[in-house]
Amino acid sequence: MSSTVAPKTANPSVAAPPPRAPRVELRSLDTLWFQVAGTVCNLACRHCFISCSPTNHTHEFMPLAEVERYLAEGAQLGVKEYYFTGGEPFLNPEMERILEATLKVGPAHVLTNGLLLDDERCRRLKLLAEGSPYSLDLRVSLDGLTAEANDPIRGAGSFDRVMAAVRKLAEVGINPVLTVTEVLAENGSAEGKESFLDLLRTLGVDKPRLKVLPIFQIGAEAERGGAYQSWQRLAEGDVMEQGWDHLQCSSCRMVTGQGVWVCPILVNEPQGRMGETLADTLNSYPLDHPACWTCHVHGVSCRT
Amino acid sequence: MGNRPPQDEAERQRLAEERARLAAHRGKATWGEKLVPLGEFRAAVERSGRVLAGEERAAEVASYTAPRGDKVAVEGPYSKVIVFGGVYNNHRALAALLDEAERRGAEAIYCLGDLGGFGPSPNEVRPLLEAGAVRTIQGNYEESLAGGAEDCNCGYADPRDNHFAKLSYGYTAEQTAADFKRWMGQLPCRRRIRVGNKEVLLVHGSPRRINEFLFASTSPDPFLEVLLEQEDCDLLLCTHTGLHWRRTLPSARQVANVGVIGRPANDGTTQVWFAVLEAQTSGEVAIELVPLVYDHLELAAEMRREGLPAEFVETILTGWWTTCLEVLPPRERALSKY
Ligand code: SF4
Ligand code: SF4
């Protein structure tokens, strides 16, 4: 083909991959993610690496029946844990029934922004958790210790609403993991971590838990904080076999309404889609996206 | 917060930008950092990846779940063995365990690793292991000590947990004799034994990773079924988490975390736990998880003499964990005092 005409499948956001990116084998399918609310969210955070918002329908809600098909296939393949994300999972009207179905076959984790956690829902979630032999874990996102620090990133009023949500969870006896990104550098420092743990204590969480995640310079975050530089790419030999455990794509897959993807990070890249069923996606994957560089350098595990 | 005009202006601008951003998403897909018509994104998705035929899918699943064959020699056969893990330098509990093994007439004793950390006087452990002819596999502690690693490879994120993990590892690393460390380095990472007519796989964390946690509430049945299928065994025994549990799977295979003898099971009692495997006349194997009482007061006194943290001594005396709680899943954490 002519060098002046880009092939139809070319990704408009990413230059041609470097030659021979390292390939990661799927060691074991331990973690199965569901983009259960698609890219639809009731917030539109400035650092959201998949640019979720009320109007973003790149990925749509997943109906219960579709989730159940993958749960059955996941059980057959021995999946160890299920993660639910979006967008905001609780926007999906079937979310609680989806959790009920999941908790029959394994532990479930929900990544939520907390906005839809009212008293009633907190109580129902507590019942769901008590009705299963497996753990139900909620991860609630926050990005600053005060409204002044948090809200410019996550949206006006979000700080107060998260505070209220965590308080309600603590009241019904659910101990959420507070998830914080390094969008503010101080969030990840030892002092920052202590301050977030203290904040949880003031909200009535007596056994506070915290998870700090690096940021991916894609999606909305690329606009806010800048995109990747051309040198931030992996080449053959960068990732040794011993390093694979640090890459979640060696032990996870992500299901959306449009099939099965390599990981929860690349759902806005058509090339991240590996197949239709889990069985289609047990093969290896080339790490030729700049976000892979972040995973490699930070050893990101999105697990709790 | 004042209502000074410059702020209002900035706020108005921000809201306008926000609205523009949301409006831009309508009917579009985010492809990387670009917005493209939804149809274009969906068409590219359709072309990406592979879609196998029915029989190819079945073959993929079959090869994924097929036994992987580790070629480890099978020891035994036995009719009664004792299996324990997590000594954590608790030589007093280890001595009590050896007495118990003799009393019960066990034919062999197996240790699933994590000899050091937490407790006092690491070098007391080795002569006891030798006296009891204990067959040991390597835990993450042995792996780290033998390899001269800087920490125990537990990977704590909480600064407080990390602080205590470092203290306990540092003490053990400094005190453990060089030839004891070398001995740890040559320990196997797994063993297979035959009890009755069943084959039992012994590992530290999990068959896949020395430091993987198998907690009851995060080890679902379907996961364990596939794991035992891949490992080609009837029973799987592990330790590493500090919490004992056992389960019979729908296929009748069994899994047990034998717990640890080094510190209590975070249940408010001072006893520690181990497992007895006994062949039944049918050839089936019964797994019994057994509490062990030992002289914990003496151990606490020794820990104090050695200058170990008061938080560790408290655990020995009260039965509640005071550190490294962050790894507990919600269900196990809810039962915990701290
Ligand atoms: S970061 Fe989370 S809460 Fe914020 S827009 Fe993205 S999905 Fe929604
Ligand atoms: S973004 Fe991270 S998890 Fe996804 S394929 Fe790249 S390295 Fe793997």
Side-chain angles (χ1 to χ4, degrees):
Chain A
M1 79 193 61
S2 149
S3 61
T4 54
V5 179
K8 279 236 164 51
T9 52
N11 180 331
S13 72
V14 175
R20 293 191 297 182
R23 294 190 75 93
V24 167
E25 302 285 343
L26 181 73
R27 286 202 165 174
S28 49
L29 183 53
D30 292 344
T31 307
L32 190 58
W33 288 79
F34 287 94
Q35 189 84 20
V36 76
T39 42
V40 182
C41 194
N42 43 4
L43 290 178
C45 302
R46 308 297 307 209
H47 67 331
C48 184
F49 66 86
I50 40 177
S51 310
C52 295
S53 78
T55 49
N56 187 340
H57 290 264
T58 307
H59 294 278
E60 302 280 12
F61 292 166
M62 294 187 70
L64 170 66
E66 191 177 20
V67 172
E68 279 177 326
R69 264 209 325 275
Y70 287 104
L71 287 177
E73 203 190 358
Q76 193 191 6
L77 289 163
V79 167
K80 193 180 177 191
E81 52 182 3
Y82 297 90
Y83 276 75
F84 296 89
T85 186
E88 168 49 44
F90 290 112
L91 283 173
N92 184 326
E94 292 184 294
M95 189 58 212
E96 288 173 32
R97 288 171 65 200
I98 288 172
L99 283 178
E100 193 181 350
T102 304
L103 286 167
K104 292 193 173 112
V105 288
H109 304 249
V110 187
L111 279 58
T112 171
N113 61 26
L115 264 51
L116 298 173
L117 295 173
D118 56 23
D119 291 319
E120 282 299 295
R121 194 190 300 274
C122 290
R123 269 196 289 275
R124 289 195 303 270
L125 290 174
K126 176 67 178 171
L127 289 179
L128 275 178
E130 281 171 348
S132 168
Y134 307 127
S135 277
L136 169 63
D137 220 351
L138 292 186
R139 274 165 51 166
V140 180
S141 302
L142 190 70
D143 280 297
L145 285 159
T146 59
E148 286 68 33
N150 178 79
D151 290 2
I153 302 160
R154 304 195 62 85
S158 61
F159 182 85
D160 290 342
R161 294 174 73 180
V162 169
M163 295 300 102
V166 171
R167 230 183 243 117
K168 279 176 216 143
L169 288 172
E171 264 165 34
V172 301
I174 294 179
N175 180 3
V177 178
L178 194 69
T179 308
V180 172
T181 68
E182 289 177 320
V183 63
L184 299 177
E186 63 267 30
N187 285 356
S189 69
E191 249 190 357
K193 287 182 190 170
E194 280 303 341
S195 310
F196 280 108
L197 291 169
D198 284 342
L199 177 64
L200 283 170
R201 286 188 195 98
T202 65
L203 297 172
V205 178
D206 60 341
K207 303 166 186 170
R209 298 186 301 151
L210 178 71
K211 167 115 185 145
V212 181
L213 288 170
I215 50 175
F216 290 96
Q217 297 161 241
I218 53 179
E221 173 59 16
E223 268 172 60
R224 190 201 66 89
Y228 285 100
Q229 306 286 305
S230 59
W231 57 271
Q232 291 172 312
R233 280 296 186 94
L234 296 175
E236 193 173 36
D238 279 356
V239 187
M240 298 295 139
E241 199 171 319
Q242 310 85 276
W244 283 358
D245 281 349
H246 295 302
L247 301 177
Q248 52 171 338
C249 46
S250 71
S251 62
C252 85
R253 289 296 179 251
M254 161 60 108
V255 183
T256 82
Q258 297 178 71
V260 184
W261 303 61
V262 59
C263 70
I265 299 144
L266 298 184
V267 290
N268 283 349
E269 299 293 346
Q271 71 194 40
R273 193 240 196 194
M274 295 183 74
E276 212 170 74
T277 67
L278 298 177
D280 294 343
T281 67
L282 302 176
N283 50 334
S284 67
Y285 186 82
L287 303 181
D288 59 10
H289 193 278
C292 304
W293 182 86
T294 296
C295 290
H296 176 56
V297 172
H298 293 271
V300 181
S301 154
C302 290
R303 285 179 218 132
T304 298
Chain B
M1 298 274 117
N3 279 331
R4 282 168 295 153
Q7 275 188 352
D8 273 354
E9 186 47 42
E11 182 63 9
R12 254 197 301 279
Q13 214 169 359
R14 209 186 53 74
L15 286 174
E17 271 172 35
E18 203 62 42
R19 269 194 299 274
R21 196 153 74 93
L22 296 194
H25 282 159
R26 279 185 215 284
K28 296 281 171 49
T30 38
W31 180 339
E33 282 110 42
K34 296 273 186 341
L35 287 168
V36 301
L38 268 174
E40 190 180 317
F41 180 85
R42 302 234 156 107
V45 168
E46 281 294 309
R47 287 193 297 269
S48 179
R50 60 175 197 179
V51 176
L52 301 176
E55 65 276 15
E56 289 172 313
R57 282 179 179 160
E60 282 286 304
V61 173
S63 96
Y64 179 84
T65 53
R68 293 173 177 188
D70 62 10
K71 299 192 183 73
V72 170
V74 181
E75 301 165 36
Y78 302 114
S79 53
K80 189 193 274 186
V81 297
I82 279 185
V83 184
F84 69 96
V87 182
Y88 305 152
N89 295 338
N90 189 341
H91 53 90
R92 289 174 199 276
L94 178 55
L97 177 112
L98 296 179
D99 290 345
E100 185 68 16
E102 195 168 320
R103 206 180 58 72
R104 288 177 176 255
E107 294 152 75
I109 310 175
Y110 285 88
C111 171
L112 304 185
D114 273 0
L115 302 174
F118 195 77
S121 323
N123 295 315
E124 300 284 316
V125 168
R126 189 173 180 187
L128 289 169
L129 291 176
E130 281 167 357
V134 177
R135 293 159 211 234
T136 304
I137 65 173
Q138 203 174 62
N140 52 301
Y141 234 89
E142 290 72 65
E143 188 184 49
S144 294
L145 279 177
E150 272 168 34
D151 64 33
C152 56
N153 193 18
C154 289
Y156 294 113
D158 183 332
R160 182 174 177 274
D161 281 355
N162 221 349
H163 166 76
F164 283 111
K166 280 205 158 69
L167 264 185
S168 101
Y169 181 79
Y171 171 84
T172 300
E174 194 185 294
Q175 302 269 324
T176 305
D179 71 320
F180 191 16
K181 286 186 189 166
R182 271 194 297 281
W183 177 84
M184 291 175 183
Q186 51 77 50
L187 293 171
C189 286
R190 54 166 63 199
R191 287 177 183 265
R192 286 178 185 269
I193 61 176
R194 182 162 289 279
V195 181
N197 62 19
K198 300 293 176 198
E199 197 164 308
V200 187
L201 177 62
L202 307 178
V203 298
H204 178 72
S206 84
R208 301 107 52 95
R209 272 186 294 282
I210 200 166
N211 63 350
E212 179 174 9
F213 294 108
L214 296 186
F215 287 105
S217 84
T218 51
S219 302
D221 285 357
F223 160 71
L224 293 172
E225 291 281 20
V226 170
L227 197 59
L228 271 72
E229 182 69 30
Q230 289 169 335
E231 298 296 341
D232 200 10
C233 58
D234 304 305
L235 278 76
L236 171 68
L237 299 191
C238 63
T239 177
H240 187 56
T241 63
L243 297 181
H244 56 282
W245 54 272
R246 62 164 293 277
R247 205 181 303 156
T248 302
L249 300 175
S251 65
R253 289 185 276 215
Q254 298 184 75
V255 179
N257 189 315
V258 302
V260 295
I261 65 163
R263 63 171 179 174
N266 201 21
D267 59 1
T269 74
T270 58
Q271 63 204 12
V272 295
W273 293 80
F274 67 97
V276 181
L277 269 62
E278 195 165 4
Q280 312 294 290
T281 41
S282 61
E284 295 294 318
V285 176
I287 303 178
E288 190 193 353
L289 294 171
V290 186
L292 177 71
V293 174
Y294 71 101
D295 194 345
H296 66 282
L297 295 175
E298 246 331 296
L299 186 84
E302 190 181 341
M303 287 168 77
R304 287 203 186 96
R305 284 198 298 279
E306 287 295 303
L308 289 164
E311 286 82 353
F312 293 2
V313 178
E314 183 187 338
T315 296
I316 292 297
L317 291 176
T318 64
W320 294 113
W321 295 359
T322 54
T323 64
C324 304
L325 290 146
E326 68 172 274
V327 298
L328 293 180
R331 181 168 282 269
E332 282 80 357
R333 185 73 186 260
L335 301 172
S336 163
K337 178 170 179 194
Y338 295 108

